[in-house]
Amino acid sequence: MTEPVLRIENLTTQIGHGKDIVTPVSDLSLEIRAGETWALLGESGCGKSMTALSIMRLLPGSGRILDGSIRLLGNELLDLSESAMRAHRGGEVGMIFQEPMTSLNPVMTIGKQIGEAVRLHDPESSADPGKRILELLKLVRIPDPERRIREYPHELSGGMKQRVMIAMALAGRPKLLIADEPTTALDVTIQAQVLQLLQDLQDKTGMAILLITHDLGVVAEVADRVGVMYAGQMIESADVKSFFERPGHPYSQRLFHALPTPGKRDSALVAIPGQVPSLKGRFRGCRFSNRCPIAIAACHNSLPPWQGDSNRGFLCHFEEPRLEEEVSRSHPGIDRGAQQRLLEVKGLRIHFPIRKGIFRRTVGHVYAVDGVDLDIERGRTLALVGESGCGKTTVGKGILQLIRPTAGEVFFDGDDLAKLDGKALRRKRRDMQIIFQDPASSMNPRMTIEEIVAEGLVAQGLEKDRASRTQRIVEILQQVGLPEDALGRYPHEFSGGQRQRIAIARALILKPDLIVCDEPTSALDVSVQAQILNLLRQLQHELGLSYLFITHNIGVVSYVSHDLAVMYLGRIVEQGSVDAVMHDPRHPYTQALLSAVPVPDPDSGREVIRLEGDMPSPSAPPQGCHFHPRCPQAMDVCRQRYPDESLLPDGRRIRCHLVTGGS
């Protein structure tokens, strides 16, 4: 066999000094060959990104590689001086970082940033990099590259910024490309474009790819081999087909059990209890033992052996561990006929003025929300889905009157919120709360958990007695699965999942009827996501809560929601029951959105409808149907006028000329 592009043997990396030493990578080995995609899978904090930084020799100041070997095309990288390493870094090995916005220089044009990489790592083009820059932009399929070359990062969409990062990584014609969560922050339609682009580039160049991700669907779609990391250790490796047919390690099996699917809607998800252990100190036994349902005494007291060989195997005391998927008690159903409408939105419009010049004259508008109708019944969940920038979050804030609508009506429990003001609106807000997308940034880091959860009570003038207020907070924390000793602690002392529970507790403290959940699980790993979804479902059945669930995760939608509304460029294009919309999507945008969702099955055989380009600017929506520039089924009438709403026999509402016949 040929020499692998990358061979890592027994890599151990440490960070910190003295009592604060952490070992994020322990005794890790892997091989990646030319043309192969090797996926490194695992939860946040398991050591995936630190493995990549070890390969690149970009560890933080207190980091060091304690032991092991990293060979790139047969050359030992750990023996190189820093100056020699620079020739490989960005040259023979390129890296796409997780967040393109923070990796790109905001005050340099795209062309200059790619040009720096070309001058450093492509000797053939270093004297005159202009031609190579355009070639790279065309290679990653950036439209109108001659114009984009002069633009700045803030002028590009998320998908295009990620393409620029890929172009920079390819500047040195790398033999190995490390992609660290390259699609995590992207919508499924843009994610499909980026994944297809990486596969096409690999076919053209034969480069090896190390893909770092926590998304099982992405692994199934693009990887040849997969390694599962847990608590800094590689606990399983296999070819993708074998892994998805029969995962070996109990942790891997649990990840599959925790995935939300339509078939699990009547029961709670099987979450993984507890948290990833601290990486300080030494481990006596299996690192997963405290969370493993089949652990025995040996699992806690002795290190597990490797079961299998270098091609396929896992770390475990059992030769063939089998976890039967637990069957959870079904949630009680909700009688559809007994429901009352809690929220009704009619013709909601939110337009933001565009002001220019010294006198700040209004020269146009951003049509963020442009005529939205929807309703939510008591005890039910409406999911609102669509690409970033389509107006989903603005709809949620407009409903809560956090942003005052330009036009339209918002009836909540019979009252038109758009007509309420001052004290009346403040009183009504007791019944409506929001869970923000990023719990960490929505909490004051200098406030204790007790103070954070109590904010609503203080603002509404409720529970003025300190003792009774604390008692109520303790009850709410227990309800969301947090201990009483959390009261005096601060947000940074909790994990991502725990911070999301705190955000839920803050929303529940006023006993609301409606909660707007704005991407509440987008930043969470599969196992933590399962815990939060179970909690939201449990609270809904116990308290009769209604949710507006804003998300782009279609897998979550299929599990948690009753009804589904699909949004594109400020307008709802299709809405109805979640079963009807997901099983028989009628609008071309809905069809493309659902087809682009990665499925955790390498043999799914699904056909992806790949949308070209990005969503148009909401400040200049296209004439006619807003979707027609990207629609593979567009007709002449689609370019002339926006379609009227049609009501289908199953109760769905849809705006598409294909459904109305273009009449």
Side-chain angles (χ1 to χ4, degrees), residues 405-428:
T406 306
E409 299 171 312
V410 180
F411 290 97
F412 180 80
D413 203 15
D415 295 322
D416 187 352
L417 299 180
K419 294 180 179 178
L420 297 182
D421 207 346
K423 292 182 179 179
L425 180 58
R426 181 181 289 256
R427 282 196 299 271
K428 204 66 180 176

Side-chain angles (χ1 to χ4, degrees), residues 356-361:
K356 288 187 176 180
I358 192 170
F359 296 110
R360 309 300 294 162
R361 290 192 177 95

Side-chain angles (χ1 to χ4, degrees), residues 108-332:
M108 286 178 65
T109 63
I110 297 306
K112 283 188 177 180
Q113 295 190 59
I114 298 175
E116 277 191 345
V118 171
R119 278 189 289 270
L120 283 170
H121 303 295
D122 188 354
E124 296 176 16
S125 308
S126 59
D128 183 18
K131 183 179 178 182
R132 176 64 174 157
I133 294 169
L134 284 174
E135 180 186 319
L136 286 166
L137 288 175
K138 290 175 182 176
L139 190 64
V140 297
R141 298 175 193 158
I142 293 234
D144 195 5
E146 291 82 2
R147 179 170 63 88
R148 296 293 184 187
I149 203 170
R150 298 186 298 273
E151 293 186 342
Y152 293 86
H154 73 272
E155 298 179 84
L156 305 182
S157 67
M160 281 202 280
K161 282 196 281 277
Q162 195 62 285
R163 288 167 188 265
V164 170
M165 289 295 298
I166 296 172
M168 292 172 68
L170 295 175
R173 309 177 197 271
K175 301 296 188 293
L176 170 68
L177 181 66
I178 301 173
D180 187 1
E181 299 276 10
T183 62
T184 297
L186 303 179
D187 301 303
V188 289
T189 51
I190 307 301
Q191 175 178 265
Q193 293 178 14
V194 171
L195 292 177
Q196 185 62 52
L197 173 62
L198 288 175
Q199 288 180 296
D200 292 346
L201 291 171
Q202 187 177 48
D203 291 341
K204 284 182 181 179
T205 64
M207 65 183 175
I209 296 178
L210 175 60
L211 175 67
I212 295 171
T213 184
H214 65 258
D215 191 324
L216 284 162
V218 169
V219 173
E221 178 138 332
V222 302
D224 301 300
R225 291 189 57 78
V226 59
V228 182
M229 284 194 76
Y230 183 80
Q233 196 174 45
M234 183 85 75
I235 59 170
E236 180 168 4
S237 68
D239 65 274
V240 162
K241 186 174 177 60
S242 300
F243 177 72
F244 279 84
E245 284 179 351
R246 194 174 177 83
H249 197 281
Y251 172 69
S252 305
Q253 296 174 36
R254 275 273 173 158
L255 285 181
F256 281 93
H257 294 172
L259 286 173
T261 62
K264 300 175 182 177
R265 289 185 64 190
D266 294 331
S267 60
L269 295 171
V270 180
I272 304 176
Q275 299 176 47
V276 178
S278 168
L279 298 181
K280 291 183 179 180
R282 290 193 167 192
F283 289 89
R284 292 177 53 198
C286 172
R287 301 184 181 200
F288 186 60
S289 60
N290 289 336
R291 306 175 75 190
C292 182
I294 60 171
I296 56 176
C299 300
H300 298 286
N301 299 321
S302 61
L303 297 174
W306 184 262
Q307 307 288 354
D309 53 33
S310 59
N311 186 53
R312 184 185 181 191
F314 52 91
L315 275 175
C316 190
H317 284 287
F318 296 94
E319 291 185 8
E320 291 190 22
R322 283 292 102 199
L323 297 185
E324 296 299 326
E325 184 160 6
E326 300 169 19
V327 180
S328 303
R329 181 173 55 84
S330 297
H331 290 300

